[in-house]
Coordinates of all heavy atoms in Angstrom, one line a residue:
M1 N -32.8 61.8 -39.6 CA -33.8 62.3 -38.8 C -35.0 62.9 -39.6 O -36.0 63.2 -39.1 CB -33.3 63.3 -37.8 CG -32.4 62.6 -36.7 SD -32.0 63.8 -35.5 CE -30.3 63.2 -35.2
R2 N -34.7 63.0 -40.9 CA -35.7 63.6 -41.8 C -37.0 62.8 -41.8 O -38.1 63.3 -41.7 CB -35.2 63.7 -43.2 CG -36.2 64.3 -44.2 CD -36.4 65.7 -43.9 NE -37.6 66.1 -44.7 CZ -38.3 67.1 -44.5 NH1 -38.1 67.9 -43.5 NH2 -39.4 67.4 -45.2
W3 N -36.9 61.4 -41.7 CA -38.1 60.6 -41.8 C -38.9 60.7 -40.5 O -40.1 60.6 -40.5 CB -37.7 59.1 -42.0 CG -36.8 58.5 -41.0 CD1 -35.5 58.5 -41.0 CD2 -37.2 57.8 -39.8 NE1 -35.0 57.8 -39.9 CE2 -36.0 57.4 -39.2 CE3 -38.4 57.5 -39.2 CZ2 -36.0 56.7 -38.0 CZ3 -38.4 56.8 -38.0 CH2 -37.3 56.4 -37.4
V4 N -38.2 61.0 -39.3 CA -38.9 61.3 -38.1 C -39.7 62.5 -38.2 O -40.9 62.6 -37.8 CB -37.9 61.4 -36.9 CG1 -38.6 61.8 -35.6 CG2 -37.2 60.1 -36.7
T5 N -39.1 63.6 -38.8 CA -39.8 64.8 -38.9 C -41.1 64.6 -39.9 O -42.1 65.1 -39.6 CB -38.9 65.9 -39.5 OG1 -37.8 66.1 -38.7 CG2 -39.6 67.2 -39.7
D6 N -40.9 63.9 -40.9 CA -42.0 63.6 -41.8 C -43.1 62.8 -41.1 O -44.3 63.1 -41.3 CB -41.5 62.8 -43.0 CG -40.6 63.6 -44.0 OD1 -40.6 64.9 -43.9 OD2 -39.9 63.0 -44.8
A7 N -42.7 61.9 -40.3 CA -43.7 61.1 -39.6 C -44.5 62.0 -38.6 O -45.7 61.9 -38.4 CB -43.1 59.9 -38.8
I8 N -43.8 62.9 -37.9 CA -44.4 63.8 -36.9 C -45.4 64.7 -37.7 O -46.5 64.9 -37.2 CB -43.4 64.6 -36.2 CG1 -42.6 63.7 -35.2 CG2 -44.0 65.8 -35.4 CD1 -41.4 64.4 -34.6
N9 N -45.0 65.2 -38.8 CA -45.9 66.0 -39.6 C -47.1 65.3 -40.1 O -48.1 65.9 -40.4 CB -45.1 66.7 -40.7 CG -44.1 67.7 -40.3 OD1 -44.2 68.3 -39.2 ND2 -43.1 67.9 -41.0
A10 N -47.1 64.0 -40.2 CA -48.2 63.2 -40.7 C -49.3 63.0 -39.6 O -50.4 62.7 -40.0 CB -47.7 61.8 -41.2
F11 N -49.0 63.2 -38.4 CA -50.0 63.1 -37.3 C -51.0 64.3 -37.5 O -50.7 65.4 -37.9 CB -49.4 63.3 -35.9 CG -48.7 62.1 -35.4 CD1 -47.3 62.2 -35.1 CD2 -49.3 60.9 -35.3 CE1 -46.7 61.1 -34.6 CE2 -48.7 59.8 -34.8 CZ -47.3 59.9 -34.4
G12 N -52.3 63.9 -37.3 CA -53.3 64.9 -37.4 C -53.5 65.6 -36.0 O -52.9 65.3 -35.0
P13 N -54.5 66.6 -36.0 CA -54.7 67.3 -34.8 C -55.3 66.4 -33.7 O -55.2 66.8 -32.5 CB -55.7 68.4 -35.2 CG -56.2 68.0 -36.5 CD -55.2 67.1 -37.1
Q14 N -55.9 65.3 -34.0 CA -56.4 64.4 -33.0 C -55.3 63.6 -32.3 O -55.6 62.9 -31.3 CB -57.4 63.4 -33.7 CG -56.8 62.4 -34.5 CD -56.5 62.9 -36.0 OE1 -56.5 64.0 -36.3 NE2 -56.1 61.9 -36.8
N15 N -54.1 63.8 -32.8 CA -52.9 63.0 -32.2 C -51.9 64.0 -31.6 O -50.7 63.8 -31.7 CB -52.3 62.2 -33.2 CG -53.2 61.1 -33.7 OD1 -54.2 61.4 -34.3 ND2 -52.8 59.8 -33.5
T16 N -52.4 65.0 -30.9 CA -51.5 66.1 -30.4 C -50.5 65.5 -29.4 O -49.3 65.8 -29.5 CB -52.3 67.2 -29.8 OG1 -53.1 67.8 -30.7 CG2 -51.3 68.3 -29.3
R17 N -50.9 64.6 -28.5 CA -50.1 64.1 -27.5 C -48.9 63.3 -28.2 O -47.8 63.4 -27.8 CB -50.8 63.2 -26.6 CG -50.0 62.6 -25.4 CD -51.0 61.9 -24.4 NE -50.2 61.3 -23.3 CZ -49.8 60.0 -23.3 NH1 -50.0 59.2 -24.4 NH2 -49.1 59.6 -22.3
S18 N -49.3 62.4 -29.1 CA -48.2 61.7 -29.9 C -47.3 62.6 -30.6 O -46.1 62.3 -30.6 CB -48.9 60.7 -30.8 OG -49.6 59.7 -30.1
T19 N -47.8 63.6 -31.2 CA -47.0 64.6 -31.9 C -46.0 65.2 -31.0 O -44.8 65.3 -31.3 CB -47.9 65.7 -32.6 OG1 -48.8 65.0 -33.5 CG2 -47.0 66.7 -33.3
V20 N -46.5 65.7 -29.8 CA -45.6 66.3 -28.9 C -44.5 65.4 -28.4 O -43.3 65.7 -28.3 CB -46.4 66.9 -27.7 CG1 -45.5 67.4 -26.6 CG2 -47.3 68.0 -28.2
L21 N -44.9 64.2 -28.0 CA -43.9 63.2 -27.5 C -42.9 62.9 -28.6 O -41.7 62.8 -28.2 CB -44.6 61.9 -27.0 CG -45.4 62.1 -25.8 CD1 -46.2 60.8 -25.5 CD2 -44.6 62.4 -24.6
N22 N -43.3 62.8 -29.8 CA -42.3 62.5 -30.9 C -41.4 63.7 -31.1 O -40.2 63.6 -31.4 CB -43.0 62.0 -32.1 CG -43.4 60.6 -32.0 OD1 -42.6 59.7 -32.0 ND2 -44.7 60.4 -31.9
Q23 N -42.0 64.9 -31.0 CA -41.2 66.1 -31.2 C -40.2 66.3 -30.1 O -39.0 66.7 -30.3 CB -42.1 67.3 -31.2 CG -41.6 68.6 -31.7 CD -41.4 68.6 -33.2 OE1 -42.3 68.0 -33.9 NE2 -40.4 69.2 -33.7
V24 N -40.5 65.9 -28.9 CA -39.5 65.9 -27.8 C -38.4 64.9 -28.0 O -37.2 65.2 -27.8 CB -40.2 65.6 -26.4 CG1 -39.2 65.4 -25.3 CG2 -41.2 66.7 -26.1
G25 N -38.8 63.7 -28.5 CA -37.8 62.7 -28.9 C -36.8 63.2 -29.9 O -35.6 63.0 -29.9
L26 N -37.4 63.9 -30.9 CA -36.5 64.5 -31.9 C -35.6 65.6 -31.3 O -34.4 65.6 -31.7 CB -37.4 65.2 -33.0 CG -36.7 65.7 -34.2 CD1 -35.9 64.7 -35.0 CD2 -37.7 66.4 -35.2
A27 N -36.1 66.4 -30.4 CA -35.3 67.4 -29.8 C -34.1 66.7 -29.0 O -33.0 67.2 -29.1 CB -36.1 68.3 -28.8
S28 N -34.4 65.7 -28.3 CA -33.4 65.0 -27.6 C -32.4 64.4 -28.5 O -31.2 64.5 -28.2 CB -34.1 63.8 -26.8 OG -33.2 63.0 -26.1
A29 N -32.8 63.8 -29.6 CA -31.8 63.2 -30.6 C -30.9 64.3 -31.1 O -29.7 64.1 -31.3 CB -32.6 62.5 -31.7
Y30 N -31.5 65.5 -31.4 CA -30.7 66.6 -32.0 C -29.7 67.1 -30.9 O -28.5 67.3 -31.3 CB -31.6 67.8 -32.4 CG -32.2 67.6 -33.7 CD1 -33.6 68.0 -33.9 CD2 -31.6 67.1 -34.8 CE1 -34.2 67.9 -35.2 CE2 -32.2 67.0 -36.1 CZ -33.5 67.4 -36.2 OH -34.1 67.3 -37.5
F31 N -30.1 67.2 -29.7 CA -29.1 67.6 -28.7 C -27.9 66.5 -28.6 O -26.8 66.9 -28.6 CB -29.7 67.7 -27.3 CG -30.3 69.0 -27.0 CD1 -31.6 69.1 -26.5 CD2 -29.6 70.2 -27.1 CE1 -32.2 70.4 -26.2 CE2 -30.1 71.4 -26.8 CZ -31.4 71.5 -26.4
L32 N -28.3 65.3 -28.6 CA -27.3 64.2 -28.5 C -26.4 64.1 -29.8 O -25.3 63.6 -29.8 CB -27.9 62.9 -28.2 CG -28.6 62.8 -26.9 CD1 -29.4 61.5 -26.7 CD2 -27.7 63.0 -25.7
A33 N -26.9 64.7 -30.9 CA -26.2 64.7 -32.2 C -25.4 66.0 -32.4 O -25.0 66.2 -33.5 CB -27.2 64.4 -33.3
D34 N -25.3 66.8 -31.4 CA -24.6 68.0 -31.5 C -25.2 69.0 -32.4 O -24.5 69.7 -33.2 CB -23.1 67.8 -31.8 CG -22.3 67.4 -30.7 OD1 -22.6 67.7 -29.5 OD2 -21.2 66.8 -30.9
A35 N -26.5 69.1 -32.4 CA -27.3 70.0 -33.2 C -28.2 70.8 -32.3 O -29.4 70.7 -32.4 CB -28.0 69.3 -34.3
P36 N -27.6 71.6 -31.4 CA -28.5 72.3 -30.5 C -29.5 73.3 -31.1 O -30.6 73.4 -30.5 CB -27.5 73.1 -29.6 CG -26.3 73.2 -30.4 CD -26.2 72.0 -31.3
D37 N -29.2 73.9 -32.2 CA -30.2 74.8 -32.8 C -31.4 74.0 -33.3 O -32.6 74.5 -33.0 CB -29.6 75.6 -34.0 CG -28.5 76.6 -33.6 OD1 -28.6 77.0 -32.4 OD2 -27.7 77.0 -34.4
L38 N -31.2 72.9 -33.9 CA -32.3 72.1 -34.3 C -33.1 71.5 -33.1 O -34.3 71.4 -33.1 CB -31.9 70.9 -35.2 CG -31.3 71.4 -36.6 CD1 -30.6 70.2 -37.3 CD2 -32.4 72.0 -37.4
A39 N -32.3 71.2 -32.1 CA -32.9 70.6 -30.8 C -33.9 71.7 -30.2 O -35.0 71.4 -29.8 CB -31.9 70.2 -29.9
M40 N -33.4 72.9 -30.1 CA -34.2 74.0 -29.5 C -35.4 74.3 -30.3 O -36.5 74.5 -29.8 CB -33.4 75.2 -29.3 CG -32.3 75.0 -28.2 SD -31.4 76.5 -27.8 CE -30.6 76.8 -29.3
H41 N -35.3 74.2 -31.6 CA -36.5 74.4 -32.5 C -37.5 73.3 -32.3 O -38.7 73.6 -32.1 CB -36.0 74.4 -34.0 CG -37.2 74.6 -34.9 ND1 -37.8 75.8 -35.1 CD2 -37.8 73.7 -35.7 CE1 -38.8 75.6 -35.9 NE2 -38.8 74.3 -36.3
A42 N -37.1 72.1 -32.2 CA -38.0 71.0 -32.0 C -38.6 71.1 -30.6 O -39.8 70.8 -30.4 CB -37.3 69.6 -32.2
G43 N -37.8 71.4 -29.6 CA -38.2 71.5 -28.2 C -39.2 72.7 -28.1 O -40.2 72.5 -27.4
N44 N -39.0 73.8 -28.7 CA -39.9 74.9 -28.6 C -41.2 74.6 -29.3 O -42.3 74.9 -28.8 CB -39.3 76.2 -29.3 CG -38.3 76.8 -28.4 OD1 -38.4 76.8 -27.2 ND2 -37.3 77.4 -29.0
T45 N -41.2 73.9 -30.4 CA -42.4 73.4 -31.1 C -43.2 72.5 -30.2 O -44.4 72.6 -30.1 CB -42.0 72.7 -32.4 OG1 -41.3 73.6 -33.3 CG2 -43.3 72.2 -33.1
A46 N -42.5 71.6 -29.5 CA -43.2 70.6 -28.6 C -43.9 71.4 -27.5 O -45.0 71.1 -27.1 CB -42.2 69.6 -28.1
Q47 N -43.2 72.4 -26.9 CA -43.7 73.2 -25.8 C -45.0 73.9 -26.2 O -46.0 74.0 -25.5 CB -42.7 74.1 -25.2 CG -41.6 73.4 -24.4 CD -40.8 74.4 -23.7 OE1 -41.1 74.8 -22.6 NE2 -39.6 74.7 -24.3
K48 N -44.9 74.5 -27.4 CA -46.1 75.3 -27.9 C -47.3 74.3 -28.1 O -48.4 74.6 -27.8 CB -45.7 76.0 -29.2 CG -44.9 77.2 -29.0 CD -44.5 77.9 -30.3 CE -43.5 78.9 -30.0 NZ -42.6 79.1 -31.1
Q49 N -47.0 73.1 -28.7 CA -48.1 72.2 -29.0 C -48.6 71.6 -27.6 O -49.8 71.3 -27.5 CB -47.6 71.0 -29.8 CG -47.3 71.5 -31.2 CD -46.5 70.4 -32.0 OE1 -45.8 69.6 -31.5 NE2 -46.7 70.4 -33.3
A50 N -47.8 71.5 -26.6 CA -48.2 70.9 -25.4 C -49.0 71.9 -24.5 O -49.6 71.4 -23.5 CB -46.9 70.5 -24.6
E51 N -49.1 73.1 -24.9 CA -49.9 74.1 -24.1 C -51.4 73.6 -24.0 O -52.1 74.0 -23.0 CB -49.8 75.5 -24.7 CG -48.5 76.1 -24.6 CD -48.3 77.4 -25.3 OE1 -49.3 77.8 -26.0 OE2 -47.3 78.0 -25.1
T52 N -51.9 72.8 -24.9 CA -53.3 72.4 -24.9 C -53.4 71.1 -24.1 O -54.6 70.6 -24.0 CB -53.8 72.3 -26.3 OG1 -53.1 71.3 -27.0 CG2 -53.8 73.6 -27.0
L53 N -52.4 70.5 -23.7 CA -52.4 69.2 -23.0 C -52.3 69.3 -21.5 O -51.7 70.2 -21.0 CB -51.3 68.3 -23.6 CG -51.3 68.1 -25.1 CD1 -50.0 67.3 -25.5 CD2 -52.5 67.4 -25.5
T54 N -52.8 68.3 -20.8 CA -52.7 68.2 -19.4 C -51.9 66.9 -19.0 O -51.9 66.6 -17.8 CB -54.0 68.2 -18.7 OG1 -54.8 67.1 -19.2 CG2 -54.8 69.5 -19.0
S55 N -51.3 66.3 -19.9 CA -50.6 65.0 -19.6 C -49.4 65.2 -18.8 O -48.4 65.9 -19.3 CB -50.3 64.3 -20.9 OG -49.4 63.2 -20.7
P56 N -49.3 64.6 -17.6 CA -48.1 64.7 -16.8 C -46.9 64.1 -17.5 O -45.7 64.5 -17.4 CB -48.4 63.9 -15.5 CG -49.9 63.9 -15.5 CD -50.3 63.9 -16.9
R57 N -47.1 63.0 -18.3 CA -46.0 62.4 -19.1 C -45.4 63.3 -20.1 O -44.2 63.4 -20.2 CB -46.6 61.1 -19.8 CG -45.5 60.4 -20.5 CD -46.0 59.1 -21.1 NE -45.0 58.5 -21.9 CZ -45.2 57.9 -23.1 NH1 -46.4 57.7 -23.5 NH2 -44.2 57.4 -23.7
V58 N -46.2 64.1 -20.7 CA -45.7 65.1 -21.7 C -44.8 66.1 -21.0 O -43.7 66.4 -21.5 CB -46.9 65.7 -22.5 CG1 -46.4 67.0 -23.3 CG2 -47.5 64.7 -23.4
I59 N -45.3 66.7 -19.9 CA -44.6 67.7 -19.2 C -43.3 67.1 -18.7 O -42.2 67.7 -18.8 CB -45.4 68.2 -18.0 CG1 -46.7 68.8 -18.4 CG2 -44.6 69.2 -17.2 CD1 -46.6 69.9 -19.5
E60 N -43.3 65.9 -18.2 CA -42.1 65.2 -17.7 C -41.1 65.0 -18.8 O -39.9 65.3 -18.7 CB -42.4 63.9 -17.0 CG -41.2 63.2 -16.4 CD -40.7 64.0 -15.2 OE1 -41.4 64.8 -14.6 OE2 -39.6 63.7 -14.7
R61 N -41.5 64.6 -20.0 CA -40.6 64.4 -21.1 C -40.0 65.7 -21.6 O -38.8 65.7 -21.9 CB -41.4 63.7 -22.3 CG -41.8 62.3 -22.0 CD -40.7 61.2 -22.3 NE -40.1 61.3 -23.6 CZ -40.6 60.7 -24.7 NH1 -41.7 60.0 -24.7 NH2 -40.0 60.9 -25.8
I62 N -40.8 66.7 -21.6 CA -40.2 68.1 -22.0 C -39.2 68.5 -21.0 O -38.1 69.0 -21.3 CB -41.4 69.1 -22.2 CG1 -42.2 68.8 -23.4 CG2 -40.8 70.5 -22.3 CD1 -43.5 69.6 -23.5
A63 N -39.5 68.4 -19.7 CA -38.6 68.7 -18.6 C -37.3 68.0 -18.7 O -36.2 68.5 -18.4 CB -39.2 68.5 -17.3
N64 N -37.4 66.7 -19.1 CA -36.2 65.9 -19.2 C -35.2 66.3 -20.3 O -34.1 65.7 -20.4 CB -36.6 64.4 -19.4 CG -37.0 63.8 -18.0 OD1 -36.7 64.4 -17.0 ND2 -37.8 62.8 -18.1
L65 N -35.6 67.2 -21.2 CA -34.6 67.7 -22.2 C -33.4 68.3 -21.6 O -32.3 68.3 -22.2 CB -35.3 68.7 -23.1 CG -36.3 68.1 -24.1 CD1 -37.0 69.2 -24.9 CD2 -35.6 67.2 -25.1
R66 N -33.5 68.7 -20.3 CA -32.3 69.2 -19.6 C -31.2 68.2 -19.6 O -30.0 68.7 -19.8 CB -32.7 69.4 -18.1 CG -33.5 70.6 -17.8 CD -33.7 70.6 -16.3 NE -34.4 71.9 -16.0 CZ -35.7 72.0 -16.3 NH1 -36.5 71.0 -16.7 NH2 -36.3 73.2 -16.1
R67 N -31.4 67.0 -19.4 CA -30.3 66.0 -19.3 C -29.6 65.8 -20.6 O -28.4 65.6 -20.7 CB -30.8 64.7 -18.8 CG -31.7 64.0 -19.7 CD -32.1 62.6 -19.2 NE -32.9 62.0 -20.2 CZ -34.1 61.5 -20.0 NH1 -34.6 61.5 -18.8 NH2 -34.8 61.0 -21.0
D68 N -30.3 66.0 -21.7 CA -29.7 65.8 -23.1 C -29.0 67.1 -23.5 O -28.2 67.0 -24.5 CB -30.7 65.4 -24.1 CG -31.4 64.1 -23.7 OD1 -30.7 63.2 -23.1 OD2 -32.6 63.9 -23.9
A69 N -29.3 68.2 -22.9 CA -28.7 69.5 -23.4 C -27.5 69.8 -22.6 O -26.8 70.9 -22.9 CB -29.7 70.6 -23.2
T70 N -27.1 69.1 -21.6 CA -26.0 69.5 -20.7 C -24.7 69.8 -21.4 O -24.0 70.7 -21.0 CB -25.8 68.4 -19.6 OG1 -25.5 67.2 -20.2 CG2 -27.0 68.3 -18.7
Q71 N -24.4 69.1 -22.4 CA -23.1 69.4 -23.1 C -23.1 70.7 -23.9 O -22.1 71.1 -24.4 CB -22.7 68.2 -24.0 CG -23.6 68.1 -25.2 CD -23.2 66.8 -26.1 OE1 -22.6 65.9 -25.5 NE2 -23.6 66.8 -27.3
H72 N -24.3 71.3 -24.0 CA -24.4 72.5 -24.7 C -24.8 73.7 -23.8 O -25.0 74.8 -24.3 CB -25.5 72.4 -25.8 CG -25.2 71.3 -26.7 ND1 -24.2 71.3 -27.7 CD2 -25.8 70.1 -26.9 CE1 -24.2 70.2 -28.4 NE2 -25.2 69.4 -27.9
M73 N -24.7 73.5 -22.5 CA -25.1 74.6 -21.6 C -24.2 75.8 -21.6 O -24.5 76.8 -21.1 CB -25.1 74.0 -20.1 CG -26.3 73.1 -19.9 SD -27.9 74.0 -20.0 CE -27.8 75.0 -18.6
H74 N -23.0 75.7 -22.2 CA -22.1 76.8 -22.4 C -22.6 77.8 -23.4 O -22.2 79.0 -23.4 CB -20.7 76.3 -22.8 CG -20.7 75.7 -24.2 ND1 -21.1 74.4 -24.4 CD2 -20.3 76.2 -25.4 CE1 -21.0 74.1 -25.6 NE2 -20.5 75.1 -26.3
L75 N -23.6 77.4 -24.2 CA -24.2 78.3 -25.2 C -25.4 79.1 -24.5 O -26.3 78.5 -23.9 CB -24.8 77.5 -26.3 CG -23.8 76.7 -27.1 CD1 -24.5 75.8 -28.1 CD2 -22.8 77.6 -27.9
P76 N -25.3 80.4 -24.5 CA -26.3 81.2 -23.8 C -27.8 80.9 -24.2 O -28.7 80.8 -23.4 CB -26.0 82.6 -24.1 CG -24.6 82.6 -24.5 CD -24.3 81.3 -25.1
E77 N -28.0 80.6 -25.5 CA -29.3 80.3 -26.0 C -29.8 79.0 -25.5 O -31.0 78.8 -25.2 CB -29.4 80.4 -27.5 CG -28.5 79.5 -28.3 CD -27.1 80.0 -28.5 OE1 -26.7 81.1 -28.0 OE2 -26.4 79.4 -29.3
V78 N -28.9 78.0 -25.3 CA -29.3 76.7 -24.7 C -29.6 76.9 -23.2 O -30.6 76.4 -22.7 CB -28.2 75.6 -24.9 CG1 -28.6 74.4 -24.2 CG2 -28.0 75.4 -26.4
A79 N -28.8 77.7 -22.5 CA -29.1 77.9 -21.1 C -30.4 78.6 -20.9 O -31.2 78.2 -20.0 CB -27.9 78.8 -20.5
D80 N -30.7 79.5 -21.8 CA -32.1 80.2 -21.7 C -33.2 79.2 -22.0 O -34.2 79.2 -21.4 CB -32.1 81.3 -22.7 CG -31.3 82.5 -22.4 OD1 -30.9 82.6 -21.2 OD2 -31.0 83.4 -23.3
F81 N -33.0 78.3 -23.0 CA -33.9 77.3 -23.4 C -34.2 76.4 -22.2 O -35.4 76.1 -21.8 CB -33.4 76.5 -24.6 CG -34.3 75.3 -24.9 CD1 -35.4 75.4 -25.6 CD2 -33.9 74.0 -24.5 CE1 -36.2 74.3 -25.9 CE2 -34.7 72.9 -24.8 CZ -35.8 73.1 -25.5
I82 N -33.2 76.0 -21.5 CA -33.3 75.1 -20.4 C -34.0 75.8 -19.2 O -34.9 75.2 -18.6 CB -31.9 74.6 -19.9 CG1 -31.3 73.7 -21.0 CG2 -32.0 73.8 -18.6 CD1 -32.1 72.5 -21.4
R83 N -33.7 77.0 -19.0 CA -34.4 77.7 -17.9 C -35.9 77.9 -18.2 O -36.7 78.0 -17.2 CB -33.8 79.1 -17.7 CG -32.5 79.1 -16.9 CD -32.1 80.5 -16.5 NE -31.6 81.3 -17.6 CZ -30.3 81.2 -18.0 NH1 -29.5 80.4 -17.4 NH2 -29.9 81.9 -19.0
A84 N -36.3 77.9 -19.4 CA -37.7 78.0 -19.8 C -38.5 76.7 -19.8 O -39.7 76.7 -19.9 CB -37.8 78.7 -21.2
L85 N -37.8 75.6 -19.6 CA -38.5 74.3 -19.6 C -39.3 74.2 -18.3 O -38.9 74.7 -17.2 CB -37.5 73.2 -19.6 CG -36.7 73.0 -21.0 CD1 -35.7 71.9 -20.8 CD2 -37.7 72.7 -22.1
P86 N -40.4 73.4 -18.3 CA -41.1 73.2 -17.1 C -40.2 72.4 -16.1 O -39.3 71.7 -16.5 CB -42.3 72.3 -17.6 CG -41.9 71.7 -18.9 CD -40.9 72.7 -19.5
R87 N -40.6 72.5 -14.8 CA -39.8 71.8 -13.8 C -40.3 70.3 -13.8 O -41.4 70.0 -14.0 CB -40.1 72.3 -12.4 CG -39.5 73.7 -12.2 CD -38.1 73.5 -12.3 NE -37.1 74.4 -11.9 CZ -35.9 74.3 -12.4 NH1 -35.6 73.4 -13.3 NH2 -34.9 75.1 -12.1
P88 N -39.3 69.4 -13.6 CA -39.6 68.0 -13.6 C -40.6 67.7 -12.4 O -40.5 68.3 -11.4 CB -38.3 67.2 -13.4 CG -37.2 68.3 -13.4 CD -37.9 69.6 -13.4
T89 N -41.5 66.8 -12.6 CA -42.4 66.3 -11.6 C -42.4 64.8 -11.5 O -41.8 64.2 -12.4 CB -43.9 66.8 -11.9 OG1 -44.2 66.2 -13.1 CG2 -44.0 68.3 -11.9
S90 N -42.9 64.3 -10.5 CA -42.9 62.9 -10.3 C -44.1 62.3 -11.1 O -45.3 62.8 -10.9 CB -43.0 62.5 -8.8 OG -43.1 61.1 -8.7
V91 N -43.9 61.4 -12.0 CA -44.9 60.7 -12.7 C -45.1 59.3 -12.2 O -44.1 58.6 -12.2 CB -44.6 60.7 -14.3 CG1 -45.7 60.0 -15.0 CG2 -44.5 62.1 -14.8
A92 N -46.3 59.0 -11.9 CA -46.6 57.6 -11.3 C -46.6 56.6 -12.4 O -46.8 56.8 -13.5 CB -47.9 57.6 -10.6

């Protein structure tokens, strides 16, 4: 997953949407790989970067991290992370 992180870091400020979407993908992969701390770090980074975006797709992808984190919901910090995610919306 190191090469994914390197690729994300190579995006410039003009590619914020792509950066956020890739960061969310990384968070999802970390959750599925039993690395919830890394997943939450990537997810929090994505949420901070997404604050400047209005893309419904980005919000939906961030909200969907819930489904990948379910096996870690017994961890209080993961439960808090999930509660802080935006609510899923319908994307056309």
Side-chain angles (χ1 to χ4, degrees):
M1 287 188 221
R2 177 71 191 157
W3 61 271
V4 174
T5 302
D6 291 343
I8 291 169
N9 292 334
F11 283 122
Q14 72 279 10
N15 295 63
T16 303
R17 185 173 178 267
S18 293
T19 300
V20 171
L21 290 173
N22 282 291
Q23 198 72 36
V24 172
L26 184 60
S28 176
Y30 279 139
F31 273 127
L32 296 174
D34 281 335
D37 290 338
L38 294 172
M40 290 185 297
H41 177 74
N44 286 327
T45 299
Q47 286 189 84
K48 286 179 187 149
Q49 293 170 330
E51 289 174 356
T52 62
L53 303 175
T54 59
S55 169
R57 180 175 176 217
V58 167
I59 301 305
E60 186 68 17
R61 291 277 306 274
I62 292 171
N64 284 340
L65 285 173
R66 283 180 175 79
R67 69 173 182 237
D68 299 325
T70 55
Q71 69 186 23
H72 303 288
M73 286 297 290
H74 64 282
L75 300 170
E77 59 273 13
V78 173
D80 290 342
F81 173 80
I82 294 304
R83 278 191 290 276
L85 291 176
R87 288 301 195 198
T89 59
S90 178
V91 176

